[in-house]
Amino acid sequence: MNHTLDTRQLQTLVEVMRTGSFHAAAESLCCVPSAVSNRMKALTEAAGVVLFVQEGRKVQPTAACERLTRYAKMILALCERAVADAKLHATKFPLLRLGVIDTAAGV
């Protein structure tokens, strides 16, 4: 069993829970509903728990899904903070431009 959680899957989970449906989440994420469904299937397999139960044409989140969603929000926020912090402390290197004549470049 693969326990790797993908941030795209976590973001999709958060959107499904926020919007209440795979279709609405797909619209919000600018993708097709089948992509949302595939991401949720992969996340279900990675987590090793049932995240949604089918009730007619709707899916209902399980308690495990609600708990995972809370962690997903924290993980995504931490990812954003990590990138922002890295950018804040990044060493700025001056841009080096190289000019090459066509014959030296082999063009």
Side-chain angles (χ1 to χ4, degrees):
M1 180 183 318
N2 178 8
H3 295 288
T4 302
L5 301 179
D6 181 298
T7 55
R8 182 179 291 166
Q9 294 167 351
L10 296 176
Q11 180 62 44
T12 303
L13 174 64
V14 169
E15 280 303 300
V16 168
M17 294 297 284
R18 185 184 71 77
T19 62
S21 75
F22 285 21
H23 188 269
E27 286 183 9
S28 174
L29 295 168
C30 300
C31 65
V32 294
S34 61
V36 170
S37 182
N38 289 337
R39 290 175 194 165
M40 292 303 89
K41 181 180 178 185
L43 184 58
T44 296
E45 291 172 3
V49 296
V50 175
L51 297 176
F52 297 96
V53 291
Q54 191 81 30
E55 292 184 2
R57 297 190 73 212
K58 291 191 164 202
V59 292
Q60 295 296 322
T62 63
C65 181
E66 291 173 3
R67 290 188 63 86
L68 184 59
T69 301
R70 285 195 293 271
Y71 282 105
K73 288 177 181 179
M74 290 187 282
I75 291 166
L76 293 168
L78 188 57
C79 287
E80 287 180 19
R81 284 180 52 198
V83 170
D85 187 60
K87 287 180 180 179
L88 183 64
H89 294 91
T91 303
K92 302 286 185 192
F93 292 103
L95 181 62
L96 175 63
R97 295 185 188 268
L98 298 176
V100 179
I101 58 174
D102 289 347
T103 55
V107 178

